[in-house]
């Protein structure tokens, strides 16, 4: 993990500090120029770091306190154009970086206090982290050229790869086959099973999963033909937190469907649930809790 | 090489490099190559190619006191191809034995299963299902006669593979339709997900 | 060849014929062959095989005033294979039905680079380095067989990815150590920040 060792870290990597301090870096290029020169579409950029790098490259400078302000301005300006819904998803990737940059810019605009307080340190850390990740990203980006080149060169090479001569093929040992058709089908099921879907794994957060619909069905069966029941009674004997939560959500859903009503005499007091629905069909259950699906 | 306006260099080329260009082609050509097809792709006259081929044969045979190579250039079925020299059959057989265990690897079996249920299927499609490169496994299966090249896609040039009778007889079934169903996974994976639990 | 009770003939074999036997095997091998696997099928000691391989390389390169062949012996992807010599790649192009895979996108290349240098690495970690979602790119790389699922973290369930031998082959290198050095920053980020230049 990279932490702030000194604010000057970045400048050790800077190519020419003198140029970075040159006045032209300070001036936001004349309005017209900026508008014309910086109209890009998202597809040109792989991500926020990509955009940042290209902005830095465009100004032929390294990010110092001064130029950072210019780059931040353009970065934010660029983000403003990302308003269409389809771009929203990608735009979120830029937000963290944008927020960090803004923070840094604001800090640069404010008069510098003498004392280093915790917030300043946090800001420095944020900046160093951002710069470190940017540097790292740049390193990978640079080495990409080598990958592309090597892949290209090697793709033009031809390797001897010919069918085994028939006489040797005939001499290969007889195959020992032990699989039945059913074994084979089982193998196919494994091989063809969809690869794990690329989603953020949340399984560890709420496993095992509990179906709200199932819980609702249970609640219905307990309430439908009987007297009012307290929530405590409804969850008696349940030791899994997930089940309790799901059963509670199921009750809320039933309430929303005007199937049950609550009674609670005092805050945090005993919760009593009673059946109020005039008619009830199993179909009602099918659509229940749909908000929680997916 | 079609132009004839060049100078000395051009004249030297066919003599010196034709043999080298030929051996380059022969090293990667899978099927025996006729003199005509070799001449065509090299842009050289057939007689020159014939001479070069003859010199290569002699070269690999070590005729002029050179090394006798472990391979030889032979004319088979109207074309030329590089084969292992007969003396090394034993060595090669040992090698083939160690490379071809009597049982298929798990990777080979799974690839075979994918082909069986999804045939005809291209190598690229197999690779994307299996998420690995399947080139050598496909060669193994071809070599074992368990799969065959069904057809080549006219547009992409991608070879599509299908299973053979050999597989059917190994599985003890008469047609690929007799394979046990493994749906709903096969449809596209989106179905039956709700029941997965 | 492990026995030493044999006569003249046997003694001569390893010296004279090892290179030829190697040549024969290389004619039919369709994967890169490591020295160890070659030594195993030849029943010869690894150092002897290494020497023979080196002599073959020099032989085909025409080092000692011999002919420089149209093919060469290269170590790629952790093993030895016969390749067409670079100068002749153009000549042989028509003879191979390689379906050159489409080029990788810039995003795929960057992701590949991150995985190559940081492996084994989870998708989340890749995404945070590249600051973008990398799901589809990772799938592409898996499909090409350039990366593989190395292991799944027991606690988080996160799959960690590593590069494959296929990648090594396609890059023309033998081990991941042969990748060009990148800034010391990449080690872990905490070191070498000041020495980055």
């Amino acid at each position: 993990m990279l932490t702030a060792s000194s604010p000057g870290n970045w400048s050790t990597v800077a190519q020419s500090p003198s140029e970075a301090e040159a006045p032209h870096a300070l001036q936001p290029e004349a309005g017209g120029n900026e508008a014309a020169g910086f109209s890009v579409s998202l597809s040109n950029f792989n991500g926020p770091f990509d955009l940042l790098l290209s902005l830095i490259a465009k100004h032929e400078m390294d990010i110092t306190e001064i130029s950072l302000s210019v780059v931040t301005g353009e970065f934010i300006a660029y983000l403003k154009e990302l308003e269409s819904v389809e771009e929203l998803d990608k735009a979120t990737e830029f937000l963290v970086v944008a927020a960090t940059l803004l923070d840094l810019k604001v800090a640069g605009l404010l008069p510098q206090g003498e004392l280093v307080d915790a917030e300043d340190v946090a800001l420095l850390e944020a900046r160093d982290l951002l710069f470190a990740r940017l540097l790292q990203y740049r390193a990978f980006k640079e080495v990409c050229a080598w990958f592309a080149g090597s892949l290209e060169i090697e793709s033009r090479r031809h390797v001897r790869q010919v069918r085994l001569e028939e006489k040797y093929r005939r001499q290969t040992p007889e195959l020992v086959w032990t699989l039945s058709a059913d074994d084979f089908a089982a193998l196919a099921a494994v091989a063809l099973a969809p690869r794990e879907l690329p989603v953020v794994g949340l399984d560890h957060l709420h496993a095992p999963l509990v179906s709200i619909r199932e819980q609702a069905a249970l609640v219905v069966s307990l309430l439908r033909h009987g007297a009012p029941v307290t929530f405590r009674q409804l969850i008696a004997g349940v030791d899994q937190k997930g089940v309790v939560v799901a059963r509670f959500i199921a009750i809320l859903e039933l309430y929303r469907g005007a199937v049950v009503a609550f009674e609670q005499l005092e805050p945090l007091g005993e919760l009593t649930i009673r059946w109020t629905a005039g008619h009830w069909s199993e179909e009602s259950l099918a659509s229940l809790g749909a908000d929680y699906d997916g | 090489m079609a132009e004839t306006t060049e100078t000395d260099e051009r004249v030297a080329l066919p003599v010196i490099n034709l043999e080298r260009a030929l051996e380059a082609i022969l090293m990667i050509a899978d099927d025996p190559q006729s003199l005509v097809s070799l001449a065509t792709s090299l842009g050289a006259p057939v007689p020159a190619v014939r001479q070069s081929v003859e010199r290569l044969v002699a070269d690999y045979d070590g005729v002029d006191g050179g090394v006798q190579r472990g391979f030889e250039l032979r004319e088979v079925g109207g074309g030329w191809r590089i084969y292992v020299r007969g003396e090394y059959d034993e060595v090669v057989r040992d090698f083939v034995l160690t490379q071809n265990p009597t049982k298929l690897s798990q990777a080979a079996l799974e690839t075979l299963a994918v082909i069986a249920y999804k045939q005809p299927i291209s190598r690229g499609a197999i690779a994307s299902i299996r998420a690995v490169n399947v080139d050598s496994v496909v060669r193994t299966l071809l070599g074992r006669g368990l799969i065959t090249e069904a057809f080549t896609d006219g547009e992409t040039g991608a070879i599509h593979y299908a299973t053979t009778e050999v597989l059917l007889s190994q599985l003890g079934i008469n047609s690929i339709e007799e394979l046990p169903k493994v749906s709903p996974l096969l449809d596209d994976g989106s179905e039956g997900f709700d029941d997965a639990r």
Side-chain angles (χ1 to χ4, degrees), chain A residues 167-182:
Chain A
K167 64 176 173 185
Y168 299 123
R169 196 188 289 195
R170 270 187 271 115
Q171 286 165 353
T172 53
E174 192 69 23
L175 195 61
V176 177
W177 186 275
T178 53
L179 293 182
S180 70
D182 285 327

Side-chain angles (χ1 to χ4, degrees), chain B residues 59-73:
Chain B
D59 181 356
Y60 297 161
D61 286 352
V63 168
D64 295 328
V67 182
Q68 193 187 61
R69 298 286 165 186
F71 50 87
E72 60 182 340
L73 183 51

Side-chain angles (χ1 to χ4, degrees), chain B residues 119 144-149 162-169 176:
Chain B
Q119 60 186 309
R144 287 292 188 176
L146 293 165
I147 61 170
T148 181
E149 298 177 359
T163 55
T164 62
E165 307 258 311
V166 176
L167 176 67
L168 297 183
S169 70
I176 211 70

Side-chain angles (χ1 to χ4, degrees), chain B residues 3-63:
Chain B
E3 299 299 307
T4 51
T5 50
E6 299 293 323
T7 53
D8 311 333
E9 228 184 351
R10 289 285 302 163
V11 182
L13 251 181
V15 183
I16 302 192
N17 282 352
L18 198 49
E19 279 172 60
R20 304 286 78 80
L22 271 173
E23 67 185 357
I25 290 176
L26 291 166
M27 269 302 153
I28 49 106
D30 207 349
D31 299 316
Q33 297 296 321
S34 71
L35 290 179
V36 173
S37 89
L38 288 170
T40 310
S41 39
L42 286 166
V46 172
V49 172
R50 176 180 295 115
Q51 274 185 8
S52 292
V53 165
E54 279 164 12
R55 274 199 297 270
L56 272 185
V57 171
D59 181 356
Y60 297 161
D61 286 352
V63 168

Side-chain angles (χ1 to χ4, degrees), chain A residues 55 71-81 98-99 101-102:
Chain A
L55 288 177
V71 168
T72 304
E74 294 191 8
F75 191 91
I76 305 297
Y78 173 72
L79 268 193
K80 278 187 191 154
E81 291 172 16
L101 283 172
L102 260 186

Side-chain angles (χ1 to χ4, degrees), chain A residues 56-182:
Chain A
I56 294 167
K58 177 188 147 211
H59 288 286
E60 294 178 337
M61 66 193 182
D62 292 281
I63 298 192
T64 60
E65 294 284 356
I66 296 163
S67 56
L68 179 63
S69 160
V70 178
V71 168
T72 304
E74 294 191 8
F75 191 91
I76 305 297
Y78 173 72
L79 268 193
K80 278 187 191 154
E81 291 172 16
L82 301 181
E83 282 173 351
S84 68
V85 177
E86 59 269 28
E87 282 181 331
L88 200 59
D89 180 42
K90 291 203 101 181
T92 53
E93 288 166 351
F94 290 71
L95 288 183
V96 176
V97 173
T100 311
L101 283 172
L102 260 186
D103 256 3
L104 300 178
K105 183 174 178 177
V106 167
L109 294 175
L110 292 175
Q112 296 295 308
E114 308 240 316
L115 293 170
V116 178
D117 63 18
E119 259 183 52
D120 288 341
V121 172
L123 209 52
L124 285 176
E125 281 179 3
R127 188 188 70 167
D128 275 2
L129 189 59
L130 180 66
F131 287 170
R133 290 177 61 189
L134 198 52
L135 271 183
Q136 180 177 249
Y137 177 66
R138 184 171 67 175
F140 283 125
K141 211 173 161 59
E142 280 168 3
V143 84
C144 260
W146 181 87
F147 273 78
S150 298
L151 290 172
E152 166 74 19
I153 289 168
E154 209 54 32
S155 75
R156 274 180 277 148
R157 298 305 304 267
H158 299 291
V159 69
R160 178 172 173 92
Q161 193 171 80
V162 300
R163 264 196 308 270
L164 194 58
E165 293 166 34
E166 194 50 39
K167 64 176 173 185
Y168 299 123
R169 196 188 289 195
R170 270 187 271 115
Q171 286 165 353
T172 53
E174 192 69 23
L175 195 61
V176 177
W177 186 275
T178 53
L179 293 182
S180 70
D182 285 327

